[in-house]
Amino acid sequence: MTDFIIIGGGVAGTSAGAYLSSLGTVLLLEAEPNLAYHASGRSAALFEESYGKPSTVALNAASRDYHVENNILSPRGLMLVGTANDANAFDTEHTQMGLDAMSMAEAKAMVPILNTTHIDRAGYHADAWDLDTDLLIQSYVKTIRKNGGTITTKSPVTAITKTGAGWTVDTKTETHAAPILINAAGPWVDQIAAMAGITPIGFTPLRRSMGRIPAPGGHDVSTWPMIFGTNEAWYAKPDAGALIVSPAEEHLMDPHDAFADDMVLAEGMARYEECVTEPVTRLLASWAGLRTFAPDRTLVIGPDPTAANFIWCAGQGGYGMQSSPAAGQLLADLVNNSAPSIAAASVKALSPARFR
Ligand SMILES: Cc1cc2nc3c(=O)[nH]c(=O)nc-3n(C[C@H](O)[C@H](O)[C@H](O)COP(=O)(O)OP(=O)(O)OC[C@H]3O[C@@H](n4cnc5c(N)ncnc54)[C@H](O)[C@@H]3O)c2cc1C
């Protein structure tokens, strides 16, 4: 007997599964051969508590303990750089992120390749962390399995039918049944809703590309912070001895297996290059992922008002990794009718009811 069928084996589905597995028997269905094949395996892997709308920040804050207890985080730091031309935007972002003022000499001591003929301002805080995304997903998987749940890959859901007792869900080879269905299909969540006869919400999958380049000028980049251009024009982050650089684009796509756009990547690299003294000589690798947003760019967690046993776990946008422990906990609390640990205003802001 299955109590919960979860569709999607990214961070949304696995975190929901981990928390639900203490309430009943979980079956998680993932279309791809591996978990975290899409966005959840392609992120920048940062924990930055202040990133996102207020309800996302509430989830980030409530997630911190889980990340710390499971050794998911390691120190990184975050630096914002800017020029006189974008002074207003720089000031706004500096305040929003709660950064400390920093002289250009201090910034250059931290990141020696900063081009101080172009950049003339910087802000920094140490409270931004590398997030071990593999370990995070594995910690959820371990909990699901420990509690008797099942995870099935290579199982694309092809049909969903409402029954008197709940739902039946068809994959290519099997039919499963459960009273409660969790929609955690990332960019495909609206398609899953339509399959189940639930009105879609209007999610937008936005592509973000990423390139890995050799450590600039042969520097040891391991202690450098993550660096953001003002207006998120680009960002760069140390990654296993190299640097990942993103144009930070948000291009609307249909759900698919995303790949980097060469032109967008080149333009982003050019914006990064303006701010540093070392040219980009070659790309070691490139990839892209879809960051999926609700119309108000806030996560959607909870039962659909038109079908209390259809639970949305969607719209994780650019925050799905860092917010996942509290998002999974909230989802389980709502399913279990127990009092959520985050403030009522955030629970309301995250509810699918706001679209109905
Ligand atoms: C470049 C980039 C940088 C990012 N940086 C960060 C960061 O620094 N910090 C952070 O917290 N977040 C970051 N994010 C965001 C984060 O990666 C996402 O919010 C998160 O991965 C979304 O997880 P998900 O499980 O909802 O979606 P996905 O990982 O896309 O998983 C959805 C899954 O559902 C499956 N599925 C779909 N349809 C079906 C079906 N019919 N049957 C079965 N399975 C199905 C798919 O195969 C997929 O595996 C970044 C994202 C990108 C792309």
Side-chain angles (χ1 to χ4, degrees), residues 49-86:
E49 193 175 304
S50 70
Y51 193 39
K53 294 273 174 89
S55 59
T56 310
V57 174
L59 290 175
N60 297 340
S63 294
R64 189 187 278 261
D65 283 353
Y66 182 95
H67 292 311
V68 171
E69 281 159 19
N70 291 281
N71 296 316
I72 307 290
L73 303 183
S74 49
R76 175 53 57 204
L78 185 150
M79 184 186 284
L80 175 71
V81 296
T83 67
N85 289 338
D86 45 34

PDB file of all heavy atoms in Angstrom, residues 49-86:
ATOM      1  N   GLU A  49      21.229  33.136   2.433  1.00  0.00           N
ATOM      2  CA  GLU A  49      19.923  33.221   3.104  1.00  0.00           C
ATOM      3  C   GLU A  49      19.049  34.360   2.589  1.00  0.00           C
ATOM      4  O   GLU A  49      17.832  34.256   2.512  1.00  0.00           O
ATOM      5  CB  GLU A  49      20.145  33.355   4.619  1.00  0.00           C
ATOM      6  CG  GLU A  49      18.885  33.135   5.413  1.00  0.00           C
ATOM      7  CD  GLU A  49      19.131  33.145   6.914  1.00  0.00           C
ATOM      8  OE1 GLU A  49      19.969  32.355   7.386  1.00  0.00           O
ATOM      9  OE2 GLU A  49      18.488  33.955   7.606  1.00  0.00           O
ATOM     10  N   SER A  50      19.675  35.484   2.209  1.00  0.00           N
ATOM     11  CA  SER A  50      18.881  36.666   1.853  1.00  0.00           C
ATOM     12  C   SER A  50      18.354  36.633   0.419  1.00  0.00           C
ATOM     13  O   SER A  50      17.683  37.566  -0.012  1.00  0.00           O
ATOM     14  CB  SER A  50      19.738  37.927   2.029  1.00  0.00           C
ATOM     15  OG  SER A  50      20.747  37.954   1.034  1.00  0.00           O
ATOM     16  N   TYR A  51      18.628  35.565  -0.336  1.00  0.00           N
ATOM     17  CA  TYR A  51      18.295  35.509  -1.762  1.00  0.00           C
ATOM     18  C   TYR A  51      16.839  35.081  -1.955  1.00  0.00           C
ATOM     19  O   TYR A  51      16.463  33.986  -1.570  1.00  0.00           O
ATOM     20  CB  TYR A  51      19.247  34.525  -2.441  1.00  0.00           C
ATOM     21  CG  TYR A  51      19.268  34.552  -3.954  1.00  0.00           C
ATOM     22  CD1 TYR A  51      19.196  35.747  -4.661  1.00  0.00           C
ATOM     23  CD2 TYR A  51      19.389  33.376  -4.681  1.00  0.00           C
ATOM     24  CE1 TYR A  51      19.242  35.757  -6.049  1.00  0.00           C
ATOM     25  CE2 TYR A  51      19.436  33.375  -6.068  1.00  0.00           C
ATOM     26  CZ  TYR A  51      19.357  34.568  -6.740  1.00  0.00           C
ATOM     27  OH  TYR A  51      19.398  34.575  -8.119  1.00  0.00           O
ATOM     28  N   GLY A  52      16.023  35.949  -2.552  1.00  0.00           N
ATOM     29  CA  GLY A  52      14.640  35.601  -2.862  1.00  0.00           C
ATOM     30  C   GLY A  52      13.631  36.513  -2.184  1.00  0.00           C
ATOM     31  O   GLY A  52      13.991  37.406  -1.411  1.00  0.00           O
ATOM     32  N   LYS A  53      12.354  36.265  -2.500  1.00  0.00           N
ATOM     33  CA  LYS A  53      11.246  37.016  -1.887  1.00  0.00           C
ATOM     34  C   LYS A  53      11.149  36.645  -0.400  1.00  0.00           C
ATOM     35  O   LYS A  53      11.691  35.621   0.022  1.00  0.00           O
ATOM     36  CB  LYS A  53       9.945  36.655  -2.607  1.00  0.00           C
ATOM     37  CG  LYS A  53       9.890  37.102  -4.064  1.00  0.00           C
ATOM     38  CD  LYS A  53       9.375  38.517  -4.162  1.00  0.00           C
ATOM     39  CE  LYS A  53       9.436  39.066  -5.562  1.00  0.00           C
ATOM     40  NZ  LYS A  53       8.268  38.823  -6.370  1.00  0.00           N
ATOM     41  N   PRO A  54      10.407  37.457   0.409  1.00  0.00           N
ATOM     42  CA  PRO A  54      10.372  37.198   1.864  1.00  0.00           C
ATOM     43  C   PRO A  54      10.025  35.755   2.257  1.00  0.00           C
ATOM     44  O   PRO A  54      10.647  35.190   3.160  1.00  0.00           O
ATOM     45  CB  PRO A  54       9.319  38.187   2.361  1.00  0.00           C
ATOM     46  CG  PRO A  54       9.369  39.310   1.370  1.00  0.00           C
ATOM     47  CD  PRO A  54       9.699  38.701   0.049  1.00  0.00           C
ATOM     48  N   SER A  55       9.064  35.131   1.566  1.00  0.00           N
ATOM     49  CA  SER A  55       8.698  33.757   1.963  1.00  0.00           C
ATOM     50  C   SER A  55       9.821  32.773   1.603  1.00  0.00           C
ATOM     51  O   SER A  55       9.995  31.758   2.291  1.00  0.00           O
ATOM     52  CB  SER A  55       7.388  33.336   1.311  1.00  0.00           C
ATOM     53  OG  SER A  55       7.510  33.408  -0.087  1.00  0.00           O
ATOM     54  N   THR A  56      10.580  33.073   0.555  1.00  0.00           N
ATOM     55  CA  THR A  56      11.721  32.217   0.218  1.00  0.00           C
ATOM     56  C   THR A  56      12.813  32.393   1.272  1.00  0.00           C
ATOM     57  O   THR A  56      13.428  31.411   1.718  1.00  0.00           O
ATOM     58  CB  THR A  56      12.300  32.591  -1.172  1.00  0.00           C
ATOM     59  OG1 THR A  56      11.240  32.638  -2.117  1.00  0.00           O
ATOM     60  CG2 THR A  56      13.357  31.595  -1.621  1.00  0.00           C
ATOM     61  N   VAL A  57      13.030  33.646   1.672  1.00  0.00           N
ATOM     62  CA  VAL A  57      14.034  33.919   2.708  1.00  0.00           C
ATOM     63  C   VAL A  57      13.642  33.196   4.009  1.00  0.00           C
ATOM     64  O   VAL A  57      14.498  32.629   4.700  1.00  0.00           O
ATOM     65  CB  VAL A  57      14.199  35.441   2.922  1.00  0.00           C
ATOM     66  CG1 VAL A  57      15.129  35.739   4.090  1.00  0.00           C
ATOM     67  CG2 VAL A  57      14.735  36.103   1.641  1.00  0.00           C
ATOM     68  N   ALA A  58      12.337  33.169   4.299  1.00  0.00           N
ATOM     69  CA  ALA A  58      11.872  32.444   5.502  1.00  0.00           C
ATOM     70  C   ALA A  58      12.211  30.954   5.383  1.00  0.00           C
ATOM     71  O   ALA A  58      12.661  30.331   6.352  1.00  0.00           O
ATOM     72  CB  ALA A  58      10.367  32.639   5.683  1.00  0.00           C
ATOM     73  N   LEU A  59      12.012  30.383   4.191  1.00  0.00           N
ATOM     74  CA  LEU A  59      12.352  28.965   3.989  1.00  0.00           C
ATOM     75  C   LEU A  59      13.868  28.759   4.096  1.00  0.00           C
ATOM     76  O   LEU A  59      14.334  27.786   4.700  1.00  0.00           O
ATOM     77  CB  LEU A  59      11.871  28.481   2.618  1.00  0.00           C
ATOM     78  CG  LEU A  59      10.369  28.329   2.395  1.00  0.00           C
ATOM     79  CD1 LEU A  59      10.077  27.949   0.941  1.00  0.00           C
ATOM     80  CD2 LEU A  59       9.764  27.287   3.330  1.00  0.00           C
ATOM     81  N   ASN A  60      14.625  29.679   3.486  1.00  0.00           N
ATOM     82  CA  ASN A  60      16.098  29.567   3.558  1.00  0.00           C
ATOM     83  C   ASN A  60      16.552  29.537   5.016  1.00  0.00           C
ATOM     84  O   ASN A  60      17.363  28.687   5.419  1.00  0.00           O
ATOM     85  CB  ASN A  60      16.777  30.759   2.868  1.00  0.00           C
ATOM     86  CG  ASN A  60      16.473  30.849   1.382  1.00  0.00           C
ATOM     87  OD1 ASN A  60      16.079  29.865   0.761  1.00  0.00           O
ATOM     88  ND2 ASN A  60      16.650  32.032   0.812  1.00  0.00           N
ATOM     89  N   ALA A  61      16.017  30.501   5.788  1.00  0.00           N
ATOM     90  CA  ALA A  61      16.436  30.616   7.200  1.00  0.00           C
ATOM     91  C   ALA A  61      16.076  29.344   7.968  1.00  0.00           C
ATOM     92  O   ALA A  61      16.880  28.823   8.747  1.00  0.00           O
ATOM     93  CB  ALA A  61      15.768  31.835   7.834  1.00  0.00           C
ATOM     94  N   ALA A  62      14.870  28.839   7.698  1.00  0.00           N
ATOM     95  CA  ALA A  62      14.409  27.643   8.420  1.00  0.00           C
ATOM     96  C   ALA A  62      15.135  26.381   7.942  1.00  0.00           C
ATOM     97  O   ALA A  62      15.036  25.337   8.583  1.00  0.00           O
ATOM     98  CB  ALA A  62      12.905  27.489   8.239  1.00  0.00           C
ATOM     99  N   SER A  63      15.850  26.472   6.834  1.00  0.00           N
ATOM    100  CA  SER A  63      16.573  25.312   6.293  1.00  0.00           C
ATOM    101  C   SER A  63      17.996  25.207   6.831  1.00  0.00           C
ATOM    102  O   SER A  63      18.649  24.167   6.711  1.00  0.00           O
ATOM    103  CB  SER A  63      16.652  25.414   4.762  1.00  0.00           C
ATOM    104  OG  SER A  63      15.373  25.316   4.188  1.00  0.00           O
ATOM    105  N   ARG A  64      18.477  26.289   7.410  1.00  0.00           N
ATOM    106  CA  ARG A  64      19.900  26.359   7.758  1.00  0.00           C
ATOM    107  C   ARG A  64      20.322  25.223   8.700  1.00  0.00           C
ATOM    108  O   ARG A  64      21.359  24.584   8.485  1.00  0.00           O
ATOM    109  CB  ARG A  64      20.219  27.721   8.380  1.00  0.00           C
ATOM    110  CG  ARG A  64      21.706  27.959   8.577  1.00  0.00           C
ATOM    111  CD  ARG A  64      21.942  29.249   9.348  1.00  0.00           C
ATOM    112  NE  ARG A  64      21.884  30.434   8.531  1.00  0.00           N
ATOM    113  CZ  ARG A  64      22.945  31.081   8.032  1.00  0.00           C
ATOM    114  NH1 ARG A  64      24.167  30.640   8.277  1.00  0.00           N
ATOM    115  NH2 ARG A  64      22.794  32.176   7.331  1.00  0.00           N
ATOM    116  N   ASP A  65      19.508  24.964   9.725  1.00  0.00           N
ATOM    117  CA  ASP A  65      19.886  23.947  10.714  1.00  0.00           C
ATOM    118  C   ASP A  65      20.082  22.577  10.064  1.00  0.00           C
ATOM    119  O   ASP A  65      21.021  21.853  10.377  1.00  0.00           O
ATOM    120  CB  ASP A  65      18.828  23.827  11.820  1.00  0.00           C
ATOM    121  CG  ASP A  65      18.929  24.980  12.811  1.00  0.00           C
ATOM    122  OD1 ASP A  65      19.887  25.772  12.701  1.00  0.00           O
ATOM    123  OD2 ASP A  65      18.034  25.102  13.669  1.00  0.00           O
ATOM    124  N   TYR A  66      19.162  22.232   9.147  1.00  0.00           N
ATOM    125  CA  TYR A  66      19.284  20.920   8.472  1.00  0.00           C
ATOM    126  C   TYR A  66      20.615  20.850   7.728  1.00  0.00           C
ATOM    127  O   TYR A  66      21.347  19.860   7.826  1.00  0.00           O
ATOM    128  CB  TYR A  66      18.127  20.716   7.487  1.00  0.00           C
ATOM    129  CG  TYR A  66      18.173  19.364   6.797  1.00  0.00           C
ATOM    130  CD1 TYR A  66      17.454  18.291   7.293  1.00  0.00           C
ATOM    131  CD2 TYR A  66      18.962  19.152   5.657  1.00  0.00           C
ATOM    132  CE1 TYR A  66      17.495  17.043   6.678  1.00  0.00           C
ATOM    133  CE2 TYR A  66      19.021  17.918   5.033  1.00  0.00           C
ATOM    134  CZ  TYR A  66      18.283  16.860   5.547  1.00  0.00           C
ATOM    135  OH  TYR A  66      18.343  15.622   4.931  1.00  0.00           O
ATOM    136  N   HIS A  67      20.928  21.918   6.976  1.00  0.00           N
ATOM    137  CA  HIS A  67      22.173  21.919   6.199  1.00  0.00           C
ATOM    138  C   HIS A  67      23.389  21.791   7.117  1.00  0.00           C
ATOM    139  O   HIS A  67      24.337  21.058   6.814  1.00  0.00           O
ATOM    140  CB  HIS A  67      22.286  23.212   5.383  1.00  0.00           C
ATOM    141  CG  HIS A  67      21.285  23.334   4.264  1.00  0.00           C
ATOM    142  ND1 HIS A  67      21.053  22.340   3.356  1.00  0.00           N
ATOM    143  CD2 HIS A  67      20.468  24.352   3.905  1.00  0.00           C
ATOM    144  CE1 HIS A  67      20.145  22.724   2.479  1.00  0.00           C
ATOM    145  NE2 HIS A  67      19.767  23.956   2.788  1.00  0.00           N
ATOM    146  N   VAL A  68      23.347  22.508   8.234  1.00  0.00           N
ATOM    147  CA  VAL A  68      24.494  22.483   9.153  1.00  0.00           C
ATOM    148  C   VAL A  68      24.623  21.089   9.791  1.00  0.00           C
ATOM    149  O   VAL A  68      25.703  20.490   9.797  1.00  0.00           O
ATOM    150  CB  VAL A  68      24.364  23.584  10.231  1.00  0.00           C
ATOM    151  CG1 VAL A  68      25.420  23.426  11.308  1.00  0.00           C
ATOM    152  CG2 VAL A  68      24.457  24.970   9.584  1.00  0.00           C
ATOM    153  N   GLU A  69      23.490  20.563  10.272  1.00  0.00           N
ATOM    154  CA  GLU A  69      23.520  19.254  10.958  1.00  0.00           C
ATOM    155  C   GLU A  69      23.998  18.139  10.035  1.00  0.00           C
ATOM    156  O   GLU A  69      24.594  17.157  10.484  1.00  0.00           O
ATOM    157  CB  GLU A  69      22.120  18.907  11.487  1.00  0.00           C
ATOM    158  CG  GLU A  69      21.778  19.630  12.781  1.00  0.00           C
ATOM    159  CD  GLU A  69      20.281  19.707  13.026  1.00  0.00           C
ATOM    160  OE1 GLU A  69      19.526  18.914  12.423  1.00  0.00           O
ATOM    161  OE2 GLU A  69      19.875  20.585  13.821  1.00  0.00           O
ATOM    162  N   ASN A  70      23.742  18.278   8.733  1.00  0.00           N
ATOM    163  CA  ASN A  70      24.117  17.217   7.785  1.00  0.00           C
ATOM    164  C   ASN A  70      25.399  17.538   7.015  1.00  0.00           C
ATOM    165  O   ASN A  70      25.688  16.897   6.000  1.00  0.00           O
ATOM    166  CB  ASN A  70      22.948  16.942   6.835  1.00  0.00           C
ATOM    167  CG  ASN A  70      21.784  16.281   7.548  1.00  0.00           C
ATOM    168  OD1 ASN A  70      21.805  15.076   7.798  1.00  0.00           O
ATOM    169  ND2 ASN A  70      20.802  17.071   7.943  1.00  0.00           N
ATOM    170  N   ASN A  71      26.141  18.524   7.511  1.00  0.00           N
ATOM    171  CA  ASN A  71      27.442  18.902   6.910  1.00  0.00           C
ATOM    172  C   ASN A  71      27.339  19.236   5.425  1.00  0.00           C
ATOM    173  O   ASN A  71      28.231  18.914   4.638  1.00  0.00           O
ATOM    174  CB  ASN A  71      28.471  17.771   7.087  1.00  0.00           C
ATOM    175  CG  ASN A  71      28.763  17.542   8.540  1.00  0.00           C
ATOM    176  OD1 ASN A  71      28.942  18.506   9.286  1.00  0.00           O
ATOM    177  ND2 ASN A  71      28.775  16.293   8.959  1.00  0.00           N
ATOM    178  N   ILE A  72      26.235  19.882   5.044  1.00  0.00           N
ATOM    179  CA  ILE A  72      26.004  20.223   3.637  1.00  0.00           C
ATOM    180  C   ILE A  72      26.766  21.503   3.252  1.00  0.00           C
ATOM    181  O   ILE A  72      27.092  21.711   2.087  1.00  0.00           O
ATOM    182  CB  ILE A  72      24.480  20.446   3.385  1.00  0.00           C
ATOM    183  CG1 ILE A  72      23.640  19.250   3.862  1.00  0.00           C
ATOM    184  CG2 ILE A  72      24.188  20.777   1.938  1.00  0.00           C
ATOM    185  CD1 ILE A  72      23.772  17.986   3.066  1.00  0.00           C
ATOM    186  N   LEU A  73      27.048  22.361   4.237  1.00  0.00           N
ATOM    187  CA  LEU A  73      27.616  23.682   3.929  1.00  0.00           C
ATOM    188  C   LEU A  73      29.106  23.764   4.224  1.00  0.00           C
ATOM    189  O   LEU A  73      29.601  23.156   5.169  1.00  0.00           O
ATOM    190  CB  LEU A  73      26.901  24.760   4.757  1.00  0.00           C
ATOM    191  CG  LEU A  73      25.383  24.864   4.606  1.00  0.00           C
ATOM    192  CD1 LEU A  73      24.846  26.023   5.444  1.00  0.00           C
ATOM    193  CD2 LEU A  73      24.969  25.033   3.148  1.00  0.00           C
ATOM    194  N   SER A  74      29.835  24.518   3.400  1.00  0.00           N
ATOM    195  CA  SER A  74      31.227  24.878   3.719  1.00  0.00           C
ATOM    196  C   SER A  74      31.433  26.348   3.336  1.00  0.00           C
ATOM    197  O   SER A  74      30.733  26.868   2.462  1.00  0.00           O
ATOM    198  CB  SER A  74      32.210  23.956   3.002  1.00  0.00           C
ATOM    199  OG  SER A  74      31.889  23.864   1.648  1.00  0.00           O
ATOM    200  N   PRO A  75      32.391  27.027   3.996  1.00  0.00           N
ATOM    201  CA  PRO A  75      32.504  28.487   3.828  1.00  0.00           C
ATOM    202  C   PRO A  75      32.810  28.895   2.387  1.00  0.00           C
ATOM    203  O   PRO A  75      33.594  28.243   1.710  1.00  0.00           O
ATOM    204  CB  PRO A  75      33.694  28.850   4.731  1.00  0.00           C
ATOM    205  CG  PRO A  75      33.844  27.702   5.659  1.00  0.00           C
ATOM    206  CD  PRO A  75      33.353  26.483   4.946  1.00  0.00           C
ATOM    207  N   ARG A  76      32.164  29.983   1.933  1.00  0.00           N
ATOM    208  CA  ARG A  76      32.465  30.534   0.608  1.00  0.00           C
ATOM    209  C   ARG A  76      32.566  32.061   0.682  1.00  0.00           C
ATOM    210  O   ARG A  76      33.573  32.641   0.309  1.00  0.00           O
ATOM    211  CB  ARG A  76      31.378  30.088  -0.396  1.00  0.00           C
ATOM    212  CG  ARG A  76      31.480  30.675  -1.804  1.00  0.00           C
ATOM    213  CD  ARG A  76      32.853  30.460  -2.441  1.00  0.00           C
ATOM    214  NE  ARG A  76      33.210  29.046  -2.505  1.00  0.00           N
ATOM    215  CZ  ARG A  76      34.478  28.622  -2.572  1.00  0.00           C
ATOM    216  NH1 ARG A  76      35.489  29.469  -2.592  1.00  0.00           N
ATOM    217  NH2 ARG A  76      34.740  27.345  -2.611  1.00  0.00           N
ATOM    218  N   GLY A  77      31.516  32.760   1.154  1.00  0.00           N
ATOM    219  CA  GLY A  77      31.517  34.218   1.136  1.00  0.00           C
ATOM    220  C   GLY A  77      30.949  34.740  -0.174  1.00  0.00           C
ATOM    221  O   GLY A  77      30.941  34.025  -1.183  1.00  0.00           O
ATOM    222  N   LEU A  78      30.463  35.970  -0.150  1.00  0.00           N
ATOM    223  CA  LEU A  78      29.848  36.551  -1.351  1.00  0.00           C
ATOM    224  C   LEU A  78      30.326  37.990  -1.520  1.00  0.00           C
ATOM    225  O   LEU A  78      30.323  38.776  -0.563  1.00  0.00           O
ATOM    226  CB  LEU A  78      28.326  36.511  -1.198  1.00  0.00           C
ATOM    227  CG  LEU A  78      27.485  36.969  -2.384  1.00  0.00           C
ATOM    228  CD1 LEU A  78      26.159  36.223  -2.410  1.00  0.00           C
ATOM    229  CD2 LEU A  78      27.226  38.470  -2.378  1.00  0.00           C
ATOM    230  N   MET A  79      30.759  38.324  -2.728  1.00  0.00           N
ATOM    231  CA  MET A  79      31.210  39.682  -3.044  1.00  0.00           C
ATOM    232  C   MET A  79      30.349  40.243  -4.177  1.00  0.00           C
ATOM    233  O   MET A  79      30.078  39.546  -5.154  1.00  0.00           O
ATOM    234  CB  MET A  79      32.679  39.663  -3.481  1.00  0.00           C
ATOM    235  CG  MET A  79      33.256  41.044  -3.739  1.00  0.00           C
ATOM    236  SD  MET A  79      34.947  40.969  -4.409  1.00  0.00           S
ATOM    237  CE  MET A  79      35.881  40.559  -2.951  1.00  0.00           C
ATOM    238  N   LEU A  80      29.913  41.493  -4.013  1.00  0.00           N
ATOM    239  CA  LEU A  80      29.191  42.205  -5.080  1.00  0.00           C
ATOM    240  C   LEU A  80      30.124  43.281  -5.611  1.00  0.00           C
ATOM    241  O   LEU A  80      30.747  43.998  -4.811  1.00  0.00           O
ATOM    242  CB  LEU A  80      27.929  42.847  -4.490  1.00  0.00           C
ATOM    243  CG  LEU A  80      27.097  43.729  -5.414  1.00  0.00           C
ATOM    244  CD1 LEU A  80      26.370  42.884  -6.474  1.00  0.00           C
ATOM    245  CD2 LEU A  80      26.063  44.538  -4.608  1.00  0.00           C
ATOM    246  N   VAL A  81      30.266  43.381  -6.927  1.00  0.00           N
ATOM    247  CA  VAL A  81      31.128  44.427  -7.486  1.00  0.00           C
ATOM    248  C   VAL A  81      30.313  45.317  -8.412  1.00  0.00           C
ATOM    249  O   VAL A  81      29.310  44.876  -8.993  1.00  0.00           O
ATOM    250  CB  VAL A  81      32.344  43.829  -8.248  1.00  0.00           C
ATOM    251  CG1 VAL A  81      33.249  43.062  -7.302  1.00  0.00           C
ATOM    252  CG2 VAL A  81      31.918  42.955  -9.416  1.00  0.00           C
ATOM    253  N   GLY A  82      30.748  46.584  -8.550  1.00  0.00           N
ATOM    254  CA  GLY A  82      29.993  47.514  -9.390  1.00  0.00           C
ATOM    255  C   GLY A  82      30.831  48.685  -9.860  1.00  0.00           C
ATOM    256  O   GLY A  82      32.020  48.796  -9.523  1.00  0.00           O
ATOM    257  N   THR A  83      30.175  49.535 -10.648  1.00  0.00           N
ATOM    258  CA  THR A  83      30.832  50.721 -11.191  1.00  0.00           C
ATOM    259  C   THR A  83      29.954  51.943 -10.893  1.00  0.00           C
ATOM    260  O   THR A  83      28.787  51.792 -10.506  1.00  0.00           O
ATOM    261  CB  THR A  83      30.998  50.619 -12.723  1.00  0.00           C
ATOM    262  OG1 THR A  83      29.695  50.658 -13.314  1.00  0.00           O
ATOM    263  CG2 THR A  83      31.686  49.324 -13.138  1.00  0.00           C
ATOM    264  N   ALA A  84      30.518  53.127 -11.137  1.00  0.00           N
ATOM    265  CA  ALA A  84      29.751  54.358 -10.897  1.00  0.00           C
ATOM    266  C   ALA A  84      28.481  54.376 -11.742  1.00  0.00           C
ATOM    267  O   ALA A  84      27.455  54.928 -11.344  1.00  0.00           O
ATOM    268  CB  ALA A  84      30.622  55.570 -11.223  1.00  0.00           C
ATOM    269  N   ASN A  85      28.517  53.748 -12.920  1.00  0.00           N
ATOM    270  CA  ASN A  85      27.351  53.745 -13.820  1.00  0.00           C
ATOM    271  C   ASN A  85      26.148  53.001 -13.243  1.00  0.00           C
ATOM    272  O   ASN A  85      25.018  53.264 -13.617  1.00  0.00           O
ATOM    273  CB  ASN A  85      27.706  53.096 -15.167  1.00  0.00           C
ATOM    274  CG  ASN A  85      28.627  53.995 -15.955  1.00  0.00           C
ATOM    275  OD1 ASN A  85      28.668  55.196 -15.718  1.00  0.00           O
ATOM    276  ND2 ASN A  85      29.377  53.398 -16.880  1.00  0.00           N
ATOM    277  N   ASP A  86      26.428  52.012 -12.380  1.00  0.00           N
ATOM    278  CA  ASP A  86      25.291  51.269 -11.809  1.00  0.00           C
ATOM    279  C   ASP A  86      25.217  51.476 -10.295  1.00  0.00           C
ATOM    280  O   ASP A  86      24.838  50.582  -9.541  1.00  0.00           O
ATOM    281  CB  ASP A  86      25.340  49.780 -12.202  1.00  0.00           C
ATOM    282  CG  ASP A  86      26.715  49.154 -12.058  1.00  0.00           C
ATOM    283  OD1 ASP A  86      27.434  49.569 -11.126  1.00  0.00           O
ATOM    284  OD2 ASP A  86      27.058  48.260 -12.839  1.00  0.00           O
TER     285      ASP A  86
END
